[in-house]
Amino acid sequence: METTKTTTAMYLTPLELEALQTITCSDYYENGRESVVWDFSVYDICSIPKRSRSGVYSSLVQKGLIVITEKEKLYITDGNGNKIRNKYYSKDDHGTIYITETGYATLDQLGLINEYGSFI
């Protein structure tokens, strides 16, 4: 499997590039480089197999290229170690994903995106 090297010594695998592109293909990617999209809108269109997908997105988080927020959990542990219902939980709540400035800078260096943050 080939990797791509940027001038900042950042290596991106083809699956990582596909995951980044999937973020920009979300229906909620309406504000270009300022977009924060719902996680389901990315995962629903991602062709990376589920068993591999979490590792690919995790790798992008570790490299500082994306940020993923998790949805609130139904139960949390309080300061005393007791399991309690999370008052912020909503069944309609979803996590979010966005590409960081470092992520966009890396994609810019590779010449893969335009000024609006869309893949060329």
Side-chain angles (χ1 to χ4, degrees):
M1 199 176 242
E2 285 186 35
T3 59
T4 305
K5 181 179 178 184
T6 68
T7 58
T8 59
M10 180 76 62
Y11 291 93
L12 297 176
T13 68
L15 288 178
E16 289 172 330
L17 287 171
E18 180 180 340
L20 288 167
Q21 187 170 14
T22 303
I23 295 169
T24 66
C25 292
S26 163
D27 291 339
Y28 298 94
Y29 193 78
E30 300 167 335
N31 298 318
R33 293 175 185 243
E34 302 299 317
S35 295
V36 177
V37 300
W38 296 114
D39 58 358
F40 69 85
S41 72
V42 173
Y43 300 148
D44 285 352
I45 62 174
C46 184
S47 65
I48 300 170
K50 285 185 180 183
R51 293 187 333 196
S52 302
R53 182 175 66 199
S54 62
V56 173
Y57 284 96
S58 176
S59 175
L60 291 170
V61 169
Q62 291 173 7
K63 290 179 178 181
L65 302 180
I66 65 171
V67 171
I68 299 176
T69 63
E70 301 287 328
K71 70 180 259 176
E72 291 290 336
K73 295 181 179 176
L74 179 57
Y75 292 98
I76 59 174
T77 305
D78 68 10
N80 298 322
N82 300 316
K83 186 176 176 180
I84 60 171
R85 187 168 173 86
N86 182 355
K87 66 181 178 180
Y88 300 108
Y89 172 79
S90 167
K91 69 178 182 174
D92 296 326
D93 189 25
H94 299 284
T96 61
I97 301 176
Y98 66 89
I99 300 173
T100 64
E101 287 184 30
T102 301
Y104 284 118
T106 300
L107 293 170
D108 284 333
Q109 289 173 352
L110 293 170
L112 295 175
I113 58 173
N114 63 21
E115 63 195 71
Y116 304 108
S118 297
F119 273 73
I120 301 172

